[in-house]
């Protein structure tokens, strides 16, 4: 399960939320893939080259996922790229609010 949620901006809050989203996926019986909270452990988001490398590696991981779960009402630039790639690949996309309740897509 590929977890798509904001990272940039309030990174502390966004990381905490992404961890909660991963816990939610686990509670539903899925293995969460959340590159945006893994790759910043060793790649610098402020370095454009490293950011692009992280996005590329995330796309590789996404290709192994059966679904993409998008969380929150804000779609960041990175999330938009992930959503577009999932659509191109025909990977089903599900949308959830920050309380992990499934909602209809409005994008």
């Amino acid at each position: 399960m590929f977890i798509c949620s904001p990272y940039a901006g309030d990174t502390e809050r966004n990381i905490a939320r992404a961890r909660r989203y991963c816990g939610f996926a686990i509670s539903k019986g899925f293995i969460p893939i959340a590159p945006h909270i893994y790759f910043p452990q060793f790649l610098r988001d402020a370095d454009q080259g490293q950011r692009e490398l992280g996005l590329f590696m995330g796309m590789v991981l996404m290709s192994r996922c059966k679904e993409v779960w998008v969380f929150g009402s804000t779609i960041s630039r990175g999330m938009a790229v992930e959503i577009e790639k999932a659509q191109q690949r025909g990977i089903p996309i599900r949308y959830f609010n920050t309380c992990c309740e499934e909602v209809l897509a409005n994008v």
Side-chain angles (χ1 to χ4, degrees):
M1 188 61 46
F2 190 90
I3 304 296
C4 180
S5 66
Y7 174 78
D10 186 346
T11 55
E12 280 189 41
R13 183 189 71 185
N14 291 340
I15 289 170
R17 284 182 174 180
R19 287 179 178 153
R20 186 164 39 87
Y21 304 151
C22 288
F24 171 70
I26 290 168
S27 77
K28 298 299 181 186
F30 297 98
I31 298 171
I33 305 297
H36 62 300
I37 60 174
Y38 171 60
F39 292 143
Q41 303 300 309
F42 49 87
L43 294 175
R44 289 183 306 119
D45 194 56
D47 179 302
Q48 188 61 32
Q50 289 187 19
R51 176 177 169 70
E52 289 177 16
L53 177 60
L55 287 169
F56 170 76
M57 292 188 300
M59 295 301 139
V60 172
L61 291 174
M62 179 196 292
S63 72
R64 308 299 295 166
C65 296
K66 293 187 186 282
E67 288 185 345
V68 171
W69 288 7
V70 178
F71 288 89
S73 59
T74 300
I75 304 297
S76 68
R77 282 187 303 130
M79 291 171 67
V81 170
E82 292 169 340
I83 292 166
E84 182 179 343
K85 185 60 77 171
Q87 290 170 333
Q88 290 171 356
R89 292 177 173 168
I91 300 171
I93 303 170
R94 295 171 63 186
Y95 292 85
F96 298 84
N97 63 24
T98 56
C99 296
C100 300
E101 300 165 329
E102 193 160 7
V103 295
L104 295 176
N106 60 357
V107 289

